[in-house]
């Protein structure tokens, strides 16, 4: 019921023409929408756009920065420099960073440097004709230490955080963490066996 209620309020905003940056002026709107606690597990709902510390981007950066052992990422593109830098910083601290991404036309110098960094493992889906793997990975998933997972519609771009209408979920629910981890392993295996 709590999740449905939060989505109902978001859909009402959108139906009433309150979308994008206009949501910031709605006194009922908060990028951090809800935290549901149940049996030692939590489930958070986040919306974008957001403002600096209260934003999807900050939740993403916080999750990256709190990782101690491993970060697993499935993301079509990461063009936000702050996110790229946070992942690189964790890799220099000894945290294993493994990214699955699609080859895309928006490659920047920062993207290329990130993908060529020997401290980061990047699997790139370059084959759009193979039926085993989606040719367009439009997933946005961050698994931290196999203890929590952040996932949703939010592109890891500046615009995705600051002006798009997006949703993310953040949870330590063991079922979801394990399912996303298995999905990551499956995609990585397919790409590494090509």
């Amino acid at each position: 019921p709590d999740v449905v209620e939060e989505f109902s309020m978001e859909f009402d905003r959108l139906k009433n023409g309150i979308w994008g940056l206009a949501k910031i002026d709605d006194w009922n709107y908060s990028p951090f929408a809800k935290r549901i606690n149940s049996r030692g597990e939590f489930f958070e709902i986040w919306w974008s756009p957001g403002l600096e510390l209260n934003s999807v981007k900050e939740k993403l950066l916080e999750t990256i920065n709190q990782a101690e052992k491993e970060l697993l990422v499935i993301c079509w593109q990461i063009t936000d420099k702050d996110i790229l830098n946070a992942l690189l910083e964790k890799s220099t601290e000894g945290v294993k960073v493994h990214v699955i991404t699609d080859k895309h036309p928006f490659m920047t110098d920062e993207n290329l440097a990130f993908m060529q960094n020997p401290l980061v493992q990047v699997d790139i889906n370059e084959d759009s004709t193979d039926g085993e793997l989606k040719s367009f990975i439009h997933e946005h998933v961050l698994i931290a230490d196999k203890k929590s997972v952040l996932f949703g519609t939010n592109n890891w771009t500046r615009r995705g955080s600051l002006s798009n209408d997006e949703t993310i979920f953040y949870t330590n629910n063991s079922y979801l963490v394990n399912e996303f981890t298995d999905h990551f392993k499956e995609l990585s295996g397919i790409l590494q066996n090509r």
Side-chain angles (χ1 to χ4, degrees), residues 75-125:
C75 197
W76 172 56
Q77 64 173 333
I78 307 170
T79 60
D80 187 300
K81 293 177 189 177
D82 294 335
I83 296 169
L84 286 170
N85 289 336
L87 290 167
L88 283 174
E89 178 65 29
K90 290 311 280 189
S91 71
T92 64
E93 295 173 10
V95 172
K96 177 185 173 188
V97 177
H98 187 170
V99 176
I100 296 173
T101 189
D102 251 348
K103 184 177 181 182
H104 59 81
F106 306 108
M107 291 289 180
T108 63
D109 291 340
E110 288 86 5
N111 290 113
L112 294 172
F114 177 82
M115 288 190 235
Q116 295 169 352
N117 189 308
L119 296 175
V120 178
Q121 180 179 347
V122 180
D123 297 334
I124 302 173
N125 177 30

Side-chain angles (χ1 to χ4, degrees), residues 7 16 40 57 61 70 75 86 93 95 98 101 118 122 125-126 131 134 152 154 157 170 194:
F7 272 91
N16 289 312
K57 179 178 173 178
L61 291 172
E70 181 179 57
C75 197
E93 295 173 10
V95 172
H98 187 170
T101 189
V122 180
N125 177 30
E126 297 187 45
K134 290 181 263 176
N154 200 103
T157 63
Y170 177 63
R194 286 192 172 170

Side-chain angles (χ1 to χ4, degrees), residues 3-158:
V3 173
V4 173
E5 180 183 327
E6 288 303 321
F7 272 91
S8 293
M9 289 190 311
E10 177 70 357
F11 288 132
D12 285 345
R13 276 190 290 273
L14 297 173
K15 287 176 191 174
N16 289 312
I18 304 170
W19 49 271
L21 293 174
K23 290 191 326 190
I24 302 297
D25 295 330
D26 180 355
W27 64 274
N28 288 316
Y29 174 74
S30 173
F32 172 64
K34 176 80 81 178
R35 181 180 175 113
I36 302 163
N37 295 300
S38 176
R39 298 182 206 145
E41 295 181 326
F42 65 83
F43 190 85
E44 293 181 3
I45 304 168
W46 287 78
W47 310 112
S48 69
L51 296 172
E52 300 188 24
L53 295 179
N54 186 11
S55 68
V56 165
K57 179 178 173 178
E58 281 305 310
K59 187 62 186 181
L60 181 59
L61 291 172
E62 175 186 302
T63 304
I64 291 169
N65 290 329
Q66 290 177 348
E68 297 175 353
K69 296 177 183 173
E70 181 179 57
L71 290 164
L72 304 176
V73 174
I74 306 170
C75 197
W76 172 56
Q77 64 173 333
I78 307 170
T79 60
D80 187 300
K81 293 177 189 177
D82 294 335
I83 296 169
L84 286 170
N85 289 336
L87 290 167
L88 283 174
E89 178 65 29
K90 290 311 280 189
S91 71
T92 64
E93 295 173 10
V95 172
K96 177 185 173 188
V97 177
H98 187 170
V99 176
I100 296 173
T101 189
D102 251 348
K103 184 177 181 182
H104 59 81
F106 306 108
M107 291 289 180
T108 63
D109 291 340
E110 288 86 5
N111 290 113
L112 294 172
F114 177 82
M115 288 190 235
Q116 295 169 352
N117 189 308
L119 296 175
V120 178
Q121 180 179 347
V122 180
D123 297 334
I124 302 173
N125 177 30
E126 297 187 45
D127 184 1
S128 61
T129 61
D130 190 322
E132 288 185 288
L133 190 66
K134 290 181 263 176
S135 62
F136 181 73
I137 297 174
H138 202 265
E139 297 179 52
H140 309 93
V141 178
L142 172 66
I143 304 162
D145 295 329
K146 295 185 181 133
K147 293 180 181 176
S148 65
V149 61
L150 183 149
F151 60 97
T153 64
N154 200 103
N155 290 321
W156 294 10
T157 63
R158 180 171 166 75

Side-chain angles (χ1 to χ4, degrees), residues 143-149 171-182:
I143 304 162
D145 295 329
K146 295 185 181 133
K147 293 180 181 176
S148 65
V149 61
T171 185
N172 68 347
N173 175 273
S174 58
Y175 174 78
L176 290 174
V177 171
N178 291 335
E179 289 296 313
F180 274 106
T181 301
D182 289 347

